[in-house]
Amino acid sequence: MNKGSIILCSFSQFKRSAPYTEYLKVSATVVSSACLSNWSMSYMSYPMHLLFKSCKLIPVMIGGKFLFGRKYDYSEYLSTLSLCLALLMLVIEKYGFSGSMKIEGLIIITGALTADGIFGHIQESLMSNYAMTRNEMLYYSHVMGSVLILPLLVAKNEIPGSIYFCIENPSILPYMILHGLSMYIGLGFVVEMIRVFGTFVAMTVTSCRKFFSIVLSFLLFPKNLSFVFILSVLLVTFGVGNNIIYQNREKEEKPSPEIAIEHV
């Protein structure tokens, strides 16, 4: 049995809770986000790309509010602004604000951010409506995503070059496997957070992860701590702390099942 047959057999035997079209929605937005984000790098510098991606929480909130009817408290808007502002300040502090950008890059990165603002909410809706597990979501969305991106790879003739590069540089294969494994584990945590806590909390955590990655780079390559660095740390602390306080207050205000039964 060839590899394609094994994949098809696995695909047919894996538990499926939702119609294929529902998984296709997730795959299309995830592939669009990744492809457009990478494509935009051809028209803008890396610092400019980081600046736009640092504001990822804003399209997530816009997409949730206007496309999925999500309601956000003022404290969640405040947390979002604090986190985005802190990330912007750190990126500018580390890379400067001299990056270049073409109008094509602005259009493409806007498309990538739009996809970012949608796919998490689609995942949350599917897992809620179909009682879908994390592994099921990861399996079907990425298998279909691979099918969607395959024609693009064939059209650009990138598959032969990739295979040739791996043959010529076999030492890179362990790193590719390690990268793929770490990506799978990371995605598993993100999808599980979306399932349990919702899209906004999950995207807030990923924004904090990006913030701490930049902070780590400051620590690994020491430089004098500036006022911007200290202020950005305080903003993140305020944003995360404010969100935690709001979540705890919301839980306390919800009546317990026993109280609800007594009222009935």
Side-chain angles (χ1 to χ4, degrees), residues 86-129:
L87 280 168
L88 288 172
M89 290 169 61
L90 267 188
V91 170
I92 294 173
E93 174 72 6
K94 183 171 178 61
Y95 298 102
F97 198 63
S98 58
S100 60
M101 179 181 64
K102 297 180 180 179
I103 186 63
E104 295 94 331
L106 177 61
I107 295 172
I108 295 170
I109 195 65
T110 300
L113 289 173
T114 301
D116 284 338
I118 294 174
F119 76 81
H121 295 293
I122 297 177
Q123 289 179 322
E124 182 182 353
S125 297
L126 288 183
M127 288 188 286
S128 175
N129 295 337

Side-chain angles (χ1 to χ4, degrees), residues 34-107:
C35 291
L36 291 174
S37 182
N38 291 334
W39 187 20
S40 69
M41 292 289 288
S42 301
Y43 301 96
M44 64 173 60
S45 63
Y46 180 67
M48 289 299 297
H49 183 265
L50 271 183
L51 285 174
F52 278 98
K53 295 296 282 186
S54 296
C55 301
K56 181 179 178 179
L57 262 178
I58 295 176
V60 167
M61 293 193 80
I62 293 173
K65 183 174 180 62
F66 293 104
L67 297 180
F68 295 89
R70 305 280 193 263
K71 294 182 179 180
Y72 300 104
D73 188 82
Y74 76 93
S75 62
E76 291 175 301
Y77 288 109
L78 195 57
S79 296
T80 296
L81 291 175
S82 298
L83 287 171
C84 291
L85 182 58
L87 280 168
L88 288 172
M89 290 169 61
L90 267 188
V91 170
I92 294 173
E93 174 72 6
K94 183 171 178 61
Y95 298 102
F97 198 63
S98 58
S100 60
M101 179 181 64
K102 297 180 180 179
I103 186 63
E104 295 94 331
L106 177 61
I107 295 172

Side-chain angles (χ1 to χ4, degrees), residues 223-239:
K223 57 187 297 187
N224 294 330
L225 294 182
S226 66
F227 171 75
V228 172
F229 179 86
I230 296 172
L231 181 59
S232 63
V233 172
L234 292 175
L235 280 172
V236 168
T237 303
F238 169 76

